[in-house]
Amino acid sequence: MAKRIQFRAHGGPEVLEYVDYQPAEPGPKDVRVANKAIGLNFIDTYYRSGLYPPPSLPSGVGSEGAGVVEAVGKDVTRFKVGDRVAYGSGPLGAYSEVHTLPEANLVRLPDSISFEQAAGVMLKGLTVQYLLRQTYELKGGETILFHAAAGGVGSLACQWAKALGVKLIGTVSSPEKAALAKANGAWATIDYSHENVAQRVLELTDGKKVPVVYDGVGKDTWLTSLDSAAPRGLVVSFGNASGAVDGVNLGILAGKGSLYVTRPTLGTYANNAENLQRMADELFGMISSGKLHVDISQHYPLAEAAKAHTELSARRTTGSVVLLP
């Protein structure tokens, strides 16, 4: 038996339960991992609330963690018992002492990266990798807009953009978060609580706007993102922190400059074991070289996952948050 977090019904953080459960035995191509650290992400709240329905109820929570392989299926070839591994996707249930998942969802974790670093960076870091290196491949010299620049994904994006020679304009909600984004490498910040974001983007870019907007906020920033993109620019809507974007009128894209819009997911880019490991290797290389610092701002015992969700939803966290089994 082991401990895990689960929910039997959708709702707020109070629906999360800390329970005993029987970990699944590995199937032929599965690996069972003894978690050493677990990542907390906004998408976890989407499954808990029902925005993203889980396959069934009761359901486990979470899809990111790092640990040591403790058992492998008979057809597993890439890993063996004792290997250090990390994962940022797969079946729900990472909020647990032990997690079983497909071999293809795991990456090798180099000794230079700690379990906590990996758990705090896999989903967010791989997201930044595909956003900046694949969805819109930044070459250096561009000026871009990135919403929620002091959050977990945003903090990494600020650093990665600076390393690429890109001027990142980051939106924030307070002077403290503005300072954090600047410390992480943002070229400029806009406090959306009292500034007009699109107008400030226009001013900061001498009227040109930006070729790409990265928007993980969703509903509340959708029109602002469209207004900040240059003609034939790209709006990358990759998250729903304020709710899903719906009722999109394609005609508005024409009126605002023949804009492009995409709604990417990590799974589409890390769609096989080789692509996933390649993306992770680039991420780990950025960390090992010192170009990317993983800020683990808060630690919570696994049993206090509900408290961690409350703090995350209230925007009282910065950087990465990890749960410790």
Side-chain angles (χ1 to χ4, degrees):
M1 297 294 286
K3 292 286 191 180
R4 78 165 184 171
I5 296 292
Q6 67 174 31
F7 58 94
R8 300 176 184 274
H10 297 299
E14 70 279 357
V15 303
L16 297 179
E17 305 172 324
Y18 185 56
V19 299
D20 292 313
Y21 86 113
Q22 183 61 53
E25 287 298 321
K29 294 289 288 181
D30 291 341
V31 176
R32 193 169 71 213
V33 179
N35 283 329
K36 301 299 182 182
I38 300 152
L40 180 75
N41 295 284
F42 229 106
I43 194 172
D44 303 342
T45 70
Y46 300 162
Y47 282 106
R48 188 206 71 221
S49 69
L51 178 63
Y52 291 174
S56 62
L57 294 174
S59 173
V61 193
S63 59
E64 179 181 47
V68 176
V69 173
E70 69 169 32
V72 298
K74 63 182 181 63
D75 296 332
V76 170
T77 59
R78 295 173 54 233
F79 302 101
K80 65 182 185 303
V81 173
D83 282 350
R84 303 175 82 249
V85 295
Y87 55 93
S89 64
L92 296 177
Y95 287 22
S96 60
E97 293 177 335
V98 178
H99 190 35
T100 302
L101 64 166
E103 173 187 23
N105 292 86
L106 292 166
V107 298
R108 294 189 176 278
L109 184 63
D111 291 338
S112 59
I113 308 297
S114 72
F115 293 120
E116 289 191 21
Q117 282 180 311
V121 82
M122 278 294 290
L123 185 56
K124 301 177 187 69
L126 292 175
T127 296
V128 173
Q129 196 282 337
Y130 84 70
L131 289 174
L132 304 191
R133 307 289 291 144
Q134 299 186 71
T135 304
Y136 187 101
E137 186 179 1
L138 296 170
K139 305 290 188 181
E142 302 93 341
T143 301
I144 67 174
L145 178 65
F146 206 103
H147 288 294
V153 173
S155 294
L156 295 173
C158 288
Q159 297 176 61
W160 206 317
K162 184 177 181 180
L164 291 171
V166 170
K167 293 181 177 179
L168 183 148
I169 302 170
T171 67
V172 295
S173 61
S174 69
E176 294 76 19
K177 290 194 173 184
L180 179 61
K182 293 293 288 290
N184 279 321
W187 172 67
T189 59
I190 303 171
D191 188 335
Y192 63 80
S193 68
H194 67 271
E195 294 183 282
N196 182 305
V197 173
Q199 181 61 39
R200 285 291 293 134
V201 168
L202 202 63
E203 294 167 358
L204 289 166
T205 59
D206 296 324
K208 297 177 182 178
K209 302 187 180 182
V210 296
V212 58
V213 178
Y214 295 102
D215 188 343
V217 177
K219 183 178 180 180
D220 288 355
T221 50
W222 169 244
L223 290 178
T224 295
S225 293
L226 296 181
D227 287 336
S228 301
R232 293 191 292 172
L234 175 65
V235 175
V236 183
S237 179
F238 68 94
N240 308 307
S242 67
V245 177
D246 57 14
V248 176
N249 176 5
L250 291 180
I252 199 172
L253 303 180
K256 293 185 180 294
S258 299
L259 302 181
Y260 295 87
V261 174
T262 185
R263 180 59 174 90
T265 65
L266 174 58
T268 310
Y269 288 87
N271 60 342
N272 57 54
E274 292 72 25
N275 285 345
L276 175 60
Q277 188 68 58
R278 175 183 55 80
M279 293 167 65
D281 287 344
E282 183 175 4
L283 171 62
F284 296 151
M286 291 288 289
I287 297 170
S288 297
S289 69
K291 295 177 181 177
L292 210 60
H293 170 68
V294 184
D295 174 25
I296 309 294
S297 59
Q298 284 96 18
H299 302 76
Y300 294 90
L302 178 60
E304 295 182 8
K307 179 180 179 182
H309 272 225
T310 298
E311 295 297 300
L312 182 68
S313 296
R315 309 284 180 91
R316 289 194 288 264
T317 66
T318 58
S320 296
V321 179
V322 297
L323 305 173
L324 301 176

